[in-house]
Amino acid sequence: VQLQASGGGLVQAGESLRISCDASRRTFLPRFLSWFRQAPGKEREFVAALKWNGGSTAYADSVKGRFTISRDIAKNTVYLQMNSLQPEDTAVYLCAADPSLIESSKRSPNRYRYWGQGTQVTVSS
């Protein structure tokens, strides 16, 4: 397993949670390392992306201003800090990475080659 997501849990609306993606066992240098989420019965959707070289970020409109993606290069770990969580944020959150993804494809889940197993985030109202 090259990517390992952790840190999910059950929180109340308005609370915060930080989830992590451990990429220390990867055997490639990622171009992008990103978070997606998938709620029951829904398609996998883009949440946030981080460009490994340079650290630039991008967010889905639905989380912009509430979520922050960051990294610890020494730990080979990417984080997703989620503030002001709402019930509609409830989903399995998955980290994904790819060594050759082009900029214009960073929001497309089917363009990522490597996926972690996901961590459940549940927000109660």
Side-chain angles (χ1 to χ4, degrees), residues 80-95:
L80 186 68
Q81 176 68 43
M82 304 181 289
N83 298 330
S84 301
L85 282 161
Q86 299 301 317
E88 53 265 34
D89 295 316
T90 295
V92 173
Y93 283 71
L94 306 106
C95 55

Side-chain angles (χ1 to χ4, degrees), residues 61-103:
D61 288 343
S62 59
V63 307
K64 201 174 292 183
R66 299 188 298 126
F67 291 12
T68 303
I69 188 171
S70 63
R71 63 179 173 172
D72 184 328
I73 295 176
K75 294 183 178 179
N76 274 294
T77 299
V78 171
Y79 304 99
L80 186 68
Q81 176 68 43
M82 304 181 289
N83 298 330
S84 301
L85 282 161
Q86 299 301 317
E88 53 265 34
D89 295 316
T90 295
V92 173
Y93 283 71
L94 306 106
C95 55
D98 195 90
S100 57
L101 194 67
I102 61 174
E103 185 82 32

Side-chain angles (χ1 to χ4, degrees), residues 28-46:
F28 61 94
L29 182 67
R31 190 141 195 271
F32 285 94
L33 211 155
S34 304
W35 287 99
F36 290 82
R37 65 187 182 186
Q38 189 162 19
K42 294 189 175 181
E43 292 188 353
R44 192 166 294 184
E45 66 170 343
F46 170 77

Side-chain angles (χ1 to χ4, degrees), residues 47-61:
V47 176
L50 183 144
K51 193 171 184 179
W52 198 254
N53 185 13
S56 61
T57 59
Y59 297 92
D61 288 343

